Amino acid sequence: MSSALKQAVIAGIGEVPLTADGSGRSPDYMTYGAALAACNDAGIDPRDIDGVVKYTYDGSMSAMTLAATLGTAELACAIEVPSGGGSSVALVDVARAFVESGRARAVICFRTLTGQEWLKQMSMGDPLRPYYLDGVNYMRASGWTGYLHMFASIYEEYAARYPMSRETLFQSLNLMRANAALNPESIFKNPVGRDEYFDPDVRTVGPFTSFDEYASSDLSCAVVVTAAGVSSNPDREVEIAASAQSHGPDPRTWFDLRPTSNSWPESPSSFVANQLYAEAGIGPDQIDVAAVYDCTSFTYLDLVETFGLCERGEVADLVADKAFLSDGRRPVNPHGGDLTCGYSAGFRHVLEAVRQLRGEATNQVDNAEHALVTAPQIGPTSGAILRRRSN
C-alpha cells in the first residue's frame, strides 16, 4: 500500500430504522441491512469488504457469516472485540489499524442489539462474556446487580467533590430530550415533568430514576473504514484524526474499576483523552461537537469534564445554561444520544459524528470540523477524534 493510502477514514455509515424493543426483526436481518447500507453509503461493492470487526457478543451473526452473506471475495482479517460500551469506539480503532497497516483495504464494523435480549444479559452472569462474570458474580453478594450500581457509585464520588444533584440530572435528561425532539428517529422526545421525575415510585438505584436510563430498542448500525480515496465518494469521507483504547491507571475488572480504585482523578477515559488530543494535535477547545457515551443522565456529564470540554466542577452550570443543546455553546449528542434513541452501547455516536462532519445531521452544528466520540469512563474504554476532510 502506498503512503498516500495510509490515512484511514470512515467512508460509509448505515443503519436500519430504529424501533422500540420487541419489533420481531431478527438480529441477522438487521445486521445485513445495516452493512449493506454502509457499503452503499461508501459507494463500495460489498464483495470488496475484506475485513470485519464486531463485538464478541451482540446477539447477531459472526464476522465470517457476515462476510459470506455479503459475498466477500476474500476475508483478509476478522476480529471480535470484548466489552460493552467501552468498546464502542474500539471497533473503529481496530479497523483503522487494519487499514493503516495494509492488512485490509475496506473494513466493516457493526453493532446489533435487540433490547429485551440485552436487558436480560445485563441482569445475569453470562458465560459468553466472561468480563461480566469476573466482576458481577462476586459483586452481586454486595447488592450490585448491573451497570446502574457502578454509575451510581461514580455519581456519589463526583457529588462529594463538586456541585451535582438530582436537579442537575433532571435538567440533563431533558436537554437530551430537547435534542431528540428534532430527531425523527428518537424514541423519547417528550420532556419529563418535574412531578414525574421526583415521584419516589420511579427511583431505581442511587440517584437514578427510570427516566435516567437509556432507551431500549432493536437496532443495528455499521461503518466502513477504508484508506483515504478508496471509496467512490471521497468528498464525504471523514478522517480518523486520532483513536485510542485504555484500561486506565489501575486495571481491574469492569464493575469494580472505579469504586474500589484510588486512582482519581485519573481514569481509563482520562488516559484516552490525553492520547487523542496528543495524536490529533488539537485541544478540547477545538472540538466543535461531541458524541458522548450516555447510558445514564449523569454518565455523559462526567465525561464532558474528563475530556476537558469544561473545567472540573463546571458541568452542572453548563447544564443549567443549556449549553449541550444542538444549538448551544457546547453541543453534546445533538441527536439525543442513547438516552433517547435506543441503546447501541454508544456505537451510534460514531454515525452521528460522521453526519455532523459531513453536514448531513438532523440537528446540524454549524461549521463542525472536529468531532469527539467517547466510550464510558470505566475500563476498558476507547475514543476517537474525527475530522472533516479538506477539499
Side-chain angles (χ1 to χ4, degrees):
M1 178 177 287
S2 68
S3 59
L5 295 179
K6 289 290 185 179
Q7 173 63 57
V9 300
I10 295 179
I13 59 175
E15 60 184 328
V16 295
L18 287 172
T19 62
D21 55 26
S23 67
R25 298 178 299 174
S26 75
D28 289 357
Y29 171 83
M30 292 192 294
T31 297
Y32 186 53
L36 285 179
C39 290
N40 182 65
D41 185 60
I44 290 177
D45 190 320
R47 293 172 295 184
D48 292 333
I49 295 292
D50 59 354
V52 179
V53 183
K54 71 179 291 284
Y55 276 85
T56 300
Y57 180 79
D58 68 355
S60 181
M61 64 179 70
S62 69
M64 291 72 73
T65 300
L66 177 59
T69 305
L70 292 174
T72 297
E74 179 185 5
L75 185 61
C77 53
I79 192 168
E80 295 188 358
V81 180
S83 186
S87 292
S88 56
V89 198
L91 272 64
V92 174
D93 184 51
V94 171
R96 177 194 182 196
F98 282 151
V99 168
E100 294 190 349
S101 68
R103 177 64 65 180
R105 183 176 174 84
V107 181
I108 195 161
C109 314
F110 71 92
R111 181 55 158 160
T112 301
L113 284 171
T114 53
Q116 291 300 322
E117 179 67 17
W118 179 252
L119 292 173
K120 183 171 68 175
Q121 292 291 341
M122 285 294 293
S123 64
M124 65 180 66
D126 182 1
L128 295 177
R129 295 184 300 172
Y131 87 101
Y132 271 175
L133 279 178
D134 57 13
V136 172
N137 284 351
Y138 73 77
M139 299 299 279
R140 194 180 296 278
S142 300
W144 287 42
T145 58
Y147 77 102
L148 274 180
H149 288 92
M150 164 61 75
F151 287 102
S153 176
I154 297 174
Y155 169 93
E156 296 296 344
E157 176 189 60
Y158 182 97
R161 294 183 171 94
Y162 303 115
M164 180 59 58
S165 66
R166 293 190 61 226
E167 174 66 27
T168 299
L169 300 187
F170 169 65
Q171 296 175 15
S172 168
L173 75 90
N174 275 319
L175 287 180
M176 292 301 102
R177 290 197 174 208
N179 283 342
L182 301 176
N183 179 4
E185 294 183 333
S186 63
I187 295 172
F188 295 146
K189 304 174 186 289
N190 297 327
V192 177
R194 180 171 296 277
D195 290 344
E196 290 180 281
Y197 184 81
F198 289 98
D199 183 343
D201 290 339
V202 300
R203 287 289 290 273
T204 54
V205 174
F208 301 127
T209 72
S210 56
F211 298 112
D212 291 299
E213 301 179 50
Y214 58 77
S216 180
S217 67
D218 295 346
L219 57 83
S220 182
C221 43
V223 304
V224 173
V225 177
T226 71
V230 167
S231 78
S232 63
N233 303 308
D235 292 342
R236 299 177 69 243
E237 295 173 349
V238 169
E239 178 183 334
I240 304 172
S243 60
Q245 301 179 55
S246 177
H247 210 148
D250 190 14
R252 303 188 186 191
T253 62
W254 192 89
F255 277 108
D256 69 334
L257 184 60
R258 283 282 293 272
T260 60
S261 171
N262 62 359
S263 64
W264 189 92
E266 299 298 335
S267 70
S269 287
S270 69
F271 275 44
V272 167
N274 292 338
Q275 294 178 61
L276 293 182
Y277 291 129
E279 183 182 4
I282 66 171
D285 59 321
Q286 292 171 271
I287 297 297
D288 301 300
V289 59
V292 180
Y293 184 83
D294 60 337
C295 65
T296 74
S297 59
F298 170 74
T299 308
Y300 81 93
L301 303 183
D302 186 45
L303 287 167
V304 163
E305 291 192 356
T306 301
F307 280 84
L309 301 182
C310 71
E311 296 298 322
R312 285 285 182 185
E314 290 185 351
V315 74
D317 289 338
L318 290 183
V319 171
D321 291 343
K322 301 182 179 181
F324 302 143
L325 292 177
S326 58
D327 58 354
R329 57 190 174 92
R330 177 56 83 182
V332 174
N333 296 349
H335 58 318
D338 281 5
L339 276 174
T340 70
C341 294
Y343 188 64
S344 66
F347 191 65
R348 286 191 77 246
H349 290 47
V350 178
L351 280 69
E352 173 64 14
V354 170
R355 291 183 177 117
Q356 289 288 342
L357 297 179
R358 287 175 170 180
E360 300 172 353
T362 301
N363 298 340
Q364 183 63 49
V365 174
D366 292 339
N367 301 315
E369 181 179 357
H370 291 100
L372 171 69
V373 189
T374 84
Q377 50 272 75
I378 49 180
T381 194
S382 54
I385 293 175
L386 307 183
R387 177 182 292 136
R388 185 181 67 218
R389 293 195 68 198
S390 301
N391 294 329

PDB file of all heavy atoms in Angstrom, residues 96 239-244 269-287 306-308 370 372 383-387:
ATOM      1  N   ARG A  96      -9.171   0.867  11.916  1.00  0.00           N
ATOM      2  CA  ARG A  96      -8.151   1.820  11.468  1.00  0.00           C
ATOM      3  C   ARG A  96      -6.773   1.159  11.414  1.00  0.00           C
ATOM      4  O   ARG A  96      -6.020   1.358  10.450  1.00  0.00           O
ATOM      5  CB  ARG A  96      -8.128   3.011  12.422  1.00  0.00           C
ATOM      6  CG  ARG A  96      -7.059   4.036  12.113  1.00  0.00           C
ATOM      7  CD  ARG A  96      -6.867   4.996  13.274  1.00  0.00           C
ATOM      8  NE  ARG A  96      -5.889   6.011  12.965  1.00  0.00           N
ATOM      9  CZ  ARG A  96      -5.307   6.788  13.873  1.00  0.00           C
ATOM     10  NH1 ARG A  96      -5.629   6.661  15.160  1.00  0.00           N
ATOM     11  NH2 ARG A  96      -4.415   7.686  13.525  1.00  0.00           N
ATOM     12  N   GLU A 239     -12.070  11.843   8.178  1.00  0.00           N
ATOM     13  CA  GLU A 239     -10.758  11.401   8.625  1.00  0.00           C
ATOM     14  C   GLU A 239     -10.792  10.960  10.093  1.00  0.00           C
ATOM     15  O   GLU A 239     -11.397  11.626  10.939  1.00  0.00           O
ATOM     16  CB  GLU A 239      -9.764  12.541   8.457  1.00  0.00           C
ATOM     17  CG  GLU A 239      -8.346  12.240   8.921  1.00  0.00           C
ATOM     18  CD  GLU A 239      -7.437  13.442   8.788  1.00  0.00           C
ATOM     19  OE1 GLU A 239      -7.731  14.303   7.927  1.00  0.00           O
ATOM     20  OE2 GLU A 239      -6.458  13.533   9.556  1.00  0.00           O
ATOM     21  N   ILE A 240     -10.138   9.848  10.384  1.00  0.00           N
ATOM     22  CA  ILE A 240      -9.929   9.425  11.770  1.00  0.00           C
ATOM     23  C   ILE A 240      -8.640  10.094  12.225  1.00  0.00           C
ATOM     24  O   ILE A 240      -7.537   9.583  12.025  1.00  0.00           O
ATOM     25  CB  ILE A 240      -9.847   7.898  11.892  1.00  0.00           C
ATOM     26  CG1 ILE A 240     -11.095   7.239  11.299  1.00  0.00           C
ATOM     27  CG2 ILE A 240      -9.687   7.490  13.360  1.00  0.00           C
ATOM     28  CD1 ILE A 240     -11.013   5.727  11.202  1.00  0.00           C
ATOM     29  N   ALA A 241      -8.784  11.264  12.831  1.00  0.00           N
ATOM     30  CA  ALA A 241      -7.605  12.050  13.213  1.00  0.00           C
ATOM     31  C   ALA A 241      -6.862  11.415  14.379  1.00  0.00           C
ATOM     32  O   ALA A 241      -5.636  11.555  14.492  1.00  0.00           O
ATOM     33  CB  ALA A 241      -8.036  13.478  13.578  1.00  0.00           C
ATOM     34  N   ALA A 242      -7.572  10.731  15.252  1.00  0.00           N
ATOM     35  CA  ALA A 242      -6.959  10.058  16.402  1.00  0.00           C
ATOM     36  C   ALA A 242      -7.921   9.017  16.931  1.00  0.00           C
ATOM     37  O   ALA A 242      -9.147   9.186  16.852  1.00  0.00           O
ATOM     38  CB  ALA A 242      -6.621  11.062  17.502  1.00  0.00           C
ATOM     39  N   SER A 243      -7.383   7.952  17.476  1.00  0.00           N
ATOM     40  CA  SER A 243      -8.200   6.939  18.142  1.00  0.00           C
ATOM     41  C   SER A 243      -7.346   6.257  19.196  1.00  0.00           C
ATOM     42  O   SER A 243      -6.120   6.192  19.068  1.00  0.00           O
ATOM     43  CB  SER A 243      -8.758   5.915  17.143  1.00  0.00           C
ATOM     44  OG  SER A 243      -7.708   5.232  16.463  1.00  0.00           O
ATOM     45  N   ALA A 244      -7.988   5.763  20.243  1.00  0.00           N
ATOM     46  CA  ALA A 244      -7.225   5.172  21.346  1.00  0.00           C
ATOM     47  C   ALA A 244      -8.105   4.253  22.171  1.00  0.00           C
ATOM     48  O   ALA A 244      -9.333   4.368  22.181  1.00  0.00           O
ATOM     49  CB  ALA A 244      -6.647   6.269  22.237  1.00  0.00           C
ATOM     50  N   SER A 269     -10.774   6.839  30.888  1.00  0.00           N
ATOM     51  CA  SER A 269     -11.131   7.898  29.939  1.00  0.00           C
ATOM     52  C   SER A 269     -10.114   9.021  29.920  1.00  0.00           C
ATOM     53  O   SER A 269      -9.851   9.612  28.865  1.00  0.00           O
ATOM     54  CB  SER A 269     -12.524   8.457  30.266  1.00  0.00           C
ATOM     55  OG  SER A 269     -13.524   7.544  29.902  1.00  0.00           O
ATOM     56  N   SER A 270      -9.536   9.359  31.064  1.00  0.00           N
ATOM     57  CA  SER A 270      -8.539  10.425  31.062  1.00  0.00           C
ATOM     58  C   SER A 270      -7.300   9.997  30.297  1.00  0.00           C
ATOM     59  O   SER A 270      -6.665  10.815  29.617  1.00  0.00           O
ATOM     60  CB  SER A 270      -8.170  10.828  32.498  1.00  0.00           C
ATOM     61  OG  SER A 270      -7.458   9.806  33.168  1.00  0.00           O
ATOM     62  N   PHE A 271      -6.958   8.705  30.369  1.00  0.00           N
ATOM     63  CA  PHE A 271      -5.839   8.198  29.576  1.00  0.00           C
ATOM     64  C   PHE A 271      -6.150   8.315  28.084  1.00  0.00           C
ATOM     65  O   PHE A 271      -5.318   8.742  27.289  1.00  0.00           O
ATOM     66  CB  PHE A 271      -5.550   6.743  29.943  1.00  0.00           C
ATOM     67  CG  PHE A 271      -4.654   6.580  31.135  1.00  0.00           C
ATOM     68  CD1 PHE A 271      -4.839   7.357  32.272  1.00  0.00           C
ATOM     69  CD2 PHE A 271      -3.634   5.657  31.134  1.00  0.00           C
ATOM     70  CE1 PHE A 271      -4.018   7.210  33.386  1.00  0.00           C
ATOM     71  CE2 PHE A 271      -2.803   5.504  32.236  1.00  0.00           C
ATOM     72  CZ  PHE A 271      -2.990   6.276  33.361  1.00  0.00           C
ATOM     73  N   VAL A 272      -7.372   7.932  27.704  1.00  0.00           N
ATOM     74  CA  VAL A 272      -7.776   8.028  26.299  1.00  0.00           C
ATOM     75  C   VAL A 272      -7.769   9.479  25.838  1.00  0.00           C
ATOM     76  O   VAL A 272      -7.285   9.801  24.749  1.00  0.00           O
ATOM     77  CB  VAL A 272      -9.168   7.392  26.093  1.00  0.00           C
ATOM     78  CG1 VAL A 272      -9.747   7.754  24.729  1.00  0.00           C
ATOM     79  CG2 VAL A 272      -9.081   5.880  26.235  1.00  0.00           C
ATOM     80  N   ALA A 273      -8.310  10.378  26.658  1.00  0.00           N
ATOM     81  CA  ALA A 273      -8.365  11.790  26.290  1.00  0.00           C
ATOM     82  C   ALA A 273      -6.979  12.343  26.000  1.00  0.00           C
ATOM     83  O   ALA A 273      -6.762  13.032  24.984  1.00  0.00           O
ATOM     84  CB  ALA A 273      -9.027  12.594  27.413  1.00  0.00           C
ATOM     85  N   ASN A 274      -6.029  12.041  26.867  1.00  0.00           N
ATOM     86  CA  ASN A 274      -4.668  12.547  26.659  1.00  0.00           C
ATOM     87  C   ASN A 274      -4.070  12.034  25.358  1.00  0.00           C
ATOM     88  O   ASN A 274      -3.413  12.779  24.616  1.00  0.00           O
ATOM     89  CB  ASN A 274      -3.781  12.143  27.839  1.00  0.00           C
ATOM     90  CG  ASN A 274      -4.156  12.847  29.127  1.00  0.00           C
ATOM     91  OD1 ASN A 274      -4.774  13.916  29.097  1.00  0.00           O
ATOM     92  ND2 ASN A 274      -3.806  12.256  30.254  1.00  0.00           N
ATOM     93  N   GLN A 275      -4.303  10.762  25.061  1.00  0.00           N
ATOM     94  CA  GLN A 275      -3.781  10.190  23.819  1.00  0.00           C
ATOM     95  C   GLN A 275      -4.423  10.837  22.592  1.00  0.00           C
ATOM     96  O   GLN A 275      -3.746  11.124  21.598  1.00  0.00           O
ATOM     97  CB  GLN A 275      -4.027   8.684  23.806  1.00  0.00           C
ATOM     98  CG  GLN A 275      -3.255   7.901  24.851  1.00  0.00           C
ATOM     99  CD  GLN A 275      -3.599   6.421  24.802  1.00  0.00           C
ATOM    100  OE1 GLN A 275      -3.393   5.739  23.798  1.00  0.00           O
ATOM    101  NE2 GLN A 275      -4.151   5.907  25.907  1.00  0.00           N
ATOM    102  N   LEU A 276      -5.743  11.050  22.659  1.00  0.00           N
ATOM    103  CA  LEU A 276      -6.449  11.601  21.500  1.00  0.00           C
ATOM    104  C   LEU A 276      -5.966  13.003  21.160  1.00  0.00           C
ATOM    105  O   LEU A 276      -5.662  13.309  19.997  1.00  0.00           O
ATOM    106  CB  LEU A 276      -7.954  11.625  21.761  1.00  0.00           C
ATOM    107  CG  LEU A 276      -8.665  10.285  21.879  1.00  0.00           C
ATOM    108  CD1 LEU A 276     -10.162  10.502  22.086  1.00  0.00           C
ATOM    109  CD2 LEU A 276      -8.427   9.420  20.652  1.00  0.00           C
ATOM    110  N   TYR A 277      -5.901  13.876  22.153  1.00  0.00           N
ATOM    111  CA  TYR A 277      -5.516  15.258  21.874  1.00  0.00           C
ATOM    112  C   TYR A 277      -4.066  15.342  21.401  1.00  0.00           C
ATOM    113  O   TYR A 277      -3.735  16.152  20.525  1.00  0.00           O
ATOM    114  CB  TYR A 277      -5.739  16.123  23.114  1.00  0.00           C
ATOM    115  CG  TYR A 277      -7.209  16.309  23.444  1.00  0.00           C
ATOM    116  CD1 TYR A 277      -7.699  16.052  24.723  1.00  0.00           C
ATOM    117  CD2 TYR A 277      -8.114  16.729  22.480  1.00  0.00           C
ATOM    118  CE1 TYR A 277      -9.049  16.217  25.031  1.00  0.00           C
ATOM    119  CE2 TYR A 277      -9.461  16.888  22.771  1.00  0.00           C
ATOM    120  CZ  TYR A 277      -9.921  16.635  24.048  1.00  0.00           C
ATOM    121  OH  TYR A 277     -11.258  16.791  24.332  1.00  0.00           O
ATOM    122  N   ALA A 278      -3.207  14.487  21.950  1.00  0.00           N
ATOM    123  CA  ALA A 278      -1.818  14.486  21.521  1.00  0.00           C
ATOM    124  C   ALA A 278      -1.688  14.033  20.070  1.00  0.00           C
ATOM    125  O   ALA A 278      -0.953  14.641  19.273  1.00  0.00           O
ATOM    126  CB  ALA A 278      -0.986  13.582  22.434  1.00  0.00           C
ATOM    127  N   GLU A 279      -2.400  12.968  19.709  1.00  0.00           N
ATOM    128  CA  GLU A 279      -2.291  12.463  18.334  1.00  0.00           C
ATOM    129  C   GLU A 279      -2.934  13.410  17.332  1.00  0.00           C
ATOM    130  O   GLU A 279      -2.396  13.635  16.243  1.00  0.00           O
ATOM    131  CB  GLU A 279      -2.939  11.081  18.214  1.00  0.00           C
ATOM    132  CG  GLU A 279      -2.781  10.503  16.810  1.00  0.00           C
ATOM    133  CD  GLU A 279      -3.453   9.155  16.619  1.00  0.00           C
ATOM    134  OE1 GLU A 279      -4.125   8.667  17.555  1.00  0.00           O
ATOM    135  OE2 GLU A 279      -3.303   8.590  15.522  1.00  0.00           O
ATOM    136  N   ALA A 280      -4.098  13.968  17.676  1.00  0.00           N
ATOM    137  CA  ALA A 280      -4.802  14.847  16.736  1.00  0.00           C
ATOM    138  C   ALA A 280      -4.132  16.216  16.634  1.00  0.00           C
ATOM    139  O   ALA A 280      -4.364  16.946  15.663  1.00  0.00           O
ATOM    140  CB  ALA A 280      -6.260  15.012  17.163  1.00  0.00           C
ATOM    141  N   GLY A 281      -3.313  16.573  17.626  1.00  0.00           N
ATOM    142  CA  GLY A 281      -2.648  17.866  17.604  1.00  0.00           C
ATOM    143  C   GLY A 281      -3.577  19.037  17.852  1.00  0.00           C
ATOM    144  O   GLY A 281      -3.319  20.158  17.387  1.00  0.00           O
ATOM    145  N   ILE A 282      -4.642  18.796  18.595  1.00  0.00           N
ATOM    146  CA  ILE A 282      -5.589  19.864  18.933  1.00  0.00           C
ATOM    147  C   ILE A 282      -5.894  19.797  20.427  1.00  0.00           C
ATOM    148  O   ILE A 282      -5.507  18.831  21.108  1.00  0.00           O
ATOM    149  CB  ILE A 282      -6.906  19.766  18.137  1.00  0.00           C
ATOM    150  CG1 ILE A 282      -7.675  18.493  18.527  1.00  0.00           C
ATOM    151  CG2 ILE A 282      -6.636  19.798  16.634  1.00  0.00           C
ATOM    152  CD1 ILE A 282      -9.073  18.427  17.968  1.00  0.00           C
ATOM    153  N   GLY A 283      -6.593  20.792  20.933  1.00  0.00           N
ATOM    154  CA  GLY A 283      -7.032  20.794  22.312  1.00  0.00           C
ATOM    155  C   GLY A 283      -8.536  20.699  22.402  1.00  0.00           C
ATOM    156  O   GLY A 283      -9.244  20.788  21.391  1.00  0.00           O
ATOM    157  N   PRO A 284      -9.062  20.527  23.610  1.00  0.00           N
ATOM    158  CA  PRO A 284     -10.513  20.406  23.787  1.00  0.00           C
ATOM    159  C   PRO A 284     -11.289  21.598  23.240  1.00  0.00           C
ATOM    160  O   PRO A 284     -12.440  21.441  22.818  1.00  0.00           O
ATOM    161  CB  PRO A 284     -10.673  20.302  25.309  1.00  0.00           C
ATOM    162  CG  PRO A 284      -9.362  19.789  25.806  1.00  0.00           C
ATOM    163  CD  PRO A 284      -8.332  20.363  24.885  1.00  0.00           C
ATOM    164  N   ASP A 285     -10.666  22.776  23.234  1.00  0.00           N
ATOM    165  CA  ASP A 285     -11.364  23.967  22.749  1.00  0.00           C
ATOM    166  C   ASP A 285     -11.628  23.929  21.262  1.00  0.00           C
ATOM    167  O   ASP A 285     -12.423  24.730  20.739  1.00  0.00           O
ATOM    168  CB  ASP A 285     -10.569  25.227  23.105  1.00  0.00           C
ATOM    169  CG  ASP A 285      -9.175  25.231  22.505  1.00  0.00           C
ATOM    170  OD1 ASP A 285      -8.532  24.155  22.479  1.00  0.00           O
ATOM    171  OD2 ASP A 285      -8.708  26.297  22.074  1.00  0.00           O
ATOM    172  N   GLN A 286     -10.992  22.998  20.555  1.00  0.00           N
ATOM    173  CA  GLN A 286     -11.196  22.880  19.109  1.00  0.00           C
ATOM    174  C   GLN A 286     -12.208  21.806  18.736  1.00  0.00           C
ATOM    175  O   GLN A 286     -12.455  21.560  17.556  1.00  0.00           O
ATOM    176  CB  GLN A 286      -9.852  22.608  18.420  1.00  0.00           C
ATOM    177  CG  GLN A 286      -8.896  23.785  18.485  1.00  0.00           C
ATOM    178  CD  GLN A 286      -7.498  23.420  17.991  1.00  0.00           C
ATOM    179  OE1 GLN A 286      -6.643  22.972  18.741  1.00  0.00           O
ATOM    180  NE2 GLN A 286      -7.286  23.614  16.705  1.00  0.00           N
ATOM    181  N   ILE A 287     -12.801  21.162  19.741  1.00  0.00           N
ATOM    182  CA  ILE A 287     -13.874  20.199  19.483  1.00  0.00           C
ATOM    183  C   ILE A 287     -15.158  20.975  19.227  1.00  0.00           C
ATOM    184  O   ILE A 287     -15.610  21.755  20.065  1.00  0.00           O
ATOM    185  CB  ILE A 287     -14.059  19.242  20.679  1.00  0.00           C
ATOM    186  CG1 ILE A 287     -12.797  18.406  20.901  1.00  0.00           C
ATOM    187  CG2 ILE A 287     -15.272  18.355  20.454  1.00  0.00           C
ATOM    188  CD1 ILE A 287     -12.434  17.486  19.752  1.00  0.00           C
ATOM    189  N   THR A 306     -14.108  15.018  31.947  1.00  0.00           N
ATOM    190  CA  THR A 306     -12.919  14.183  31.782  1.00  0.00           C
ATOM    191  C   THR A 306     -12.202  14.488  30.472  1.00  0.00           C
ATOM    192  O   THR A 306     -10.968  14.479  30.413  1.00  0.00           O
ATOM    193  CB  THR A 306     -13.293  12.694  31.839  1.00  0.00           C
ATOM    194  OG1 THR A 306     -13.911  12.408  33.098  1.00  0.00           O
ATOM    195  CG2 THR A 306     -12.067  11.809  31.680  1.00  0.00           C
ATOM    196  N   PHE A 307     -12.953  14.775  29.426  1.00  0.00           N
ATOM    197  CA  PHE A 307     -12.349  15.070  28.125  1.00  0.00           C
ATOM    198  C   PHE A 307     -12.061  16.559  27.941  1.00  0.00           C
ATOM    199  O   PHE A 307     -11.777  17.001  26.824  1.00  0.00           O
ATOM    200  CB  PHE A 307     -13.221  14.534  26.998  1.00  0.00           C
ATOM    201  CG  PHE A 307     -13.040  13.056  26.769  1.00  0.00           C
ATOM    202  CD1 PHE A 307     -13.743  12.135  27.536  1.00  0.00           C
ATOM    203  CD2 PHE A 307     -12.144  12.591  25.830  1.00  0.00           C
ATOM    204  CE1 PHE A 307     -13.559  10.771  27.356  1.00  0.00           C
ATOM    205  CE2 PHE A 307     -11.954  11.231  25.635  1.00  0.00           C
ATOM    206  CZ  PHE A 307     -12.654  10.317  26.406  1.00  0.00           C
ATOM    207  N   GLY A 308     -12.142  17.317  29.023  1.00  0.00           N
ATOM    208  CA  GLY A 308     -11.692  18.700  29.001  1.00  0.00           C
ATOM    209  C   GLY A 308     -12.602  19.679  28.303  1.00  0.00           C
ATOM    210  O   GLY A 308     -12.179  20.799  27.985  1.00  0.00           O
ATOM    211  N   HIS A 370     -14.192  19.307  13.859  1.00  0.00           N
ATOM    212  CA  HIS A 370     -13.699  18.219  14.700  1.00  0.00           C
ATOM    213  C   HIS A 370     -14.835  17.697  15.573  1.00  0.00           C
ATOM    214  O   HIS A 370     -15.560  18.475  16.190  1.00  0.00           O
ATOM    215  CB  HIS A 370     -12.561  18.697  15.605  1.00  0.00           C
ATOM    216  CG  HIS A 370     -11.304  19.030  14.877  1.00  0.00           C
ATOM    217  ND1 HIS A 370     -10.950  20.328  14.572  1.00  0.00           N
ATOM    218  CD2 HIS A 370     -10.320  18.238  14.394  1.00  0.00           C
ATOM    219  CE1 HIS A 370      -9.796  20.325  13.927  1.00  0.00           C
ATOM    220  NE2 HIS A 370      -9.388  19.078  13.813  1.00  0.00           N
ATOM    221  N   LEU A 372     -15.639  14.808  18.663  1.00  0.00           N
ATOM    222  CA  LEU A 372     -15.140  13.865  19.658  1.00  0.00           C
ATOM    223  C   LEU A 372     -16.175  12.777  19.862  1.00  0.00           C
ATOM    224  O   LEU A 372     -17.370  13.061  19.990  1.00  0.00           O
ATOM    225  CB  LEU A 372     -14.899  14.594  20.988  1.00  0.00           C
ATOM    226  CG  LEU A 372     -14.571  13.733  22.205  1.00  0.00           C
ATOM    227  CD1 LEU A 372     -13.195  13.096  22.065  1.00  0.00           C
ATOM    228  CD2 LEU A 372     -14.661  14.552  23.491  1.00  0.00           C
ATOM    229  N   GLY A 383     -11.983   5.877  22.472  1.00  0.00           N
ATOM    230  CA  GLY A 383     -12.447   7.164  21.982  1.00  0.00           C
ATOM    231  C   GLY A 383     -11.788   7.505  20.659  1.00  0.00           C
ATOM    232  O   GLY A 383     -10.839   6.846  20.231  1.00  0.00           O
ATOM    233  N   ALA A 384     -12.290   8.548  20.016  1.00  0.00           N
ATOM    234  CA  ALA A 384     -11.721   8.990  18.741  1.00  0.00           C
ATOM    235  C   ALA A 384     -12.022  10.458  18.533  1.00  0.00           C
ATOM    236  O   ALA A 384     -13.008  10.995  19.063  1.00  0.00           O
ATOM    237  CB  ALA A 384     -12.271   8.157  17.577  1.00  0.00           C
ATOM    238  N   ILE A 385     -11.166  11.104  17.759  1.00  0.00           N
ATOM    239  CA  ILE A 385     -11.427  12.430  17.234  1.00  0.00           C
ATOM    240  C   ILE A 385     -11.510  12.291  15.715  1.00  0.00           C
ATOM    241  O   ILE A 385     -10.581  11.784  15.084  1.00  0.00           O
ATOM    242  CB  ILE A 385     -10.337  13.439  17.624  1.00  0.00           C
ATOM    243  CG1 ILE A 385     -10.372  13.687  19.135  1.00  0.00           C
ATOM    244  CG2 ILE A 385     -10.514  14.750  16.866  1.00  0.00           C
ATOM    245  CD1 ILE A 385      -9.257  14.587  19.644  1.00  0.00           C
ATOM    246  N   LEU A 386     -12.636  12.687  15.182  1.00  0.00           N
ATOM    247  CA  LEU A 386     -12.850  12.641  13.740  1.00  0.00           C
ATOM    248  C   LEU A 386     -12.733  14.056  13.185  1.00  0.00           C
ATOM    249  O   LEU A 386     -13.085  15.036  13.848  1.00  0.00           O
ATOM    250  CB  LEU A 386     -14.230  12.056  13.418  1.00  0.00           C
ATOM    251  CG  LEU A 386     -14.555  10.701  14.037  1.00  0.00           C
ATOM    252  CD1 LEU A 386     -15.930  10.212  13.581  1.00  0.00           C
ATOM    253  CD2 LEU A 386     -13.485   9.668  13.709  1.00  0.00           C
ATOM    254  N   ARG A 387     -12.248  14.147  11.944  1.00  0.00           N
ATOM    255  CA  ARG A 387     -12.005  15.460  11.335  1.00  0.00           C
ATOM    256  C   ARG A 387     -12.628  15.524   9.945  1.00  0.00           C
ATOM    257  O   ARG A 387     -12.519  14.575   9.160  1.00  0.00           O
ATOM    258  CB  ARG A 387     -10.502  15.707  11.251  1.00  0.00           C
ATOM    259  CG  ARG A 387     -10.107  17.011  10.582  1.00  0.00           C
ATOM    260  CD  ARG A 387      -8.589  17.159  10.490  1.00  0.00           C
ATOM    261  NE  ARG A 387      -7.995  17.340  11.808  1.00  0.00           N
ATOM    262  CZ  ARG A 387      -6.896  16.722  12.233  1.00  0.00           C
ATOM    263  NH1 ARG A 387      -6.301  15.832  11.447  1.00  0.00           N
ATOM    264  NH2 ARG A 387      -6.415  16.961  13.430  1.00  0.00           N
TER     265      ARG A 387
END
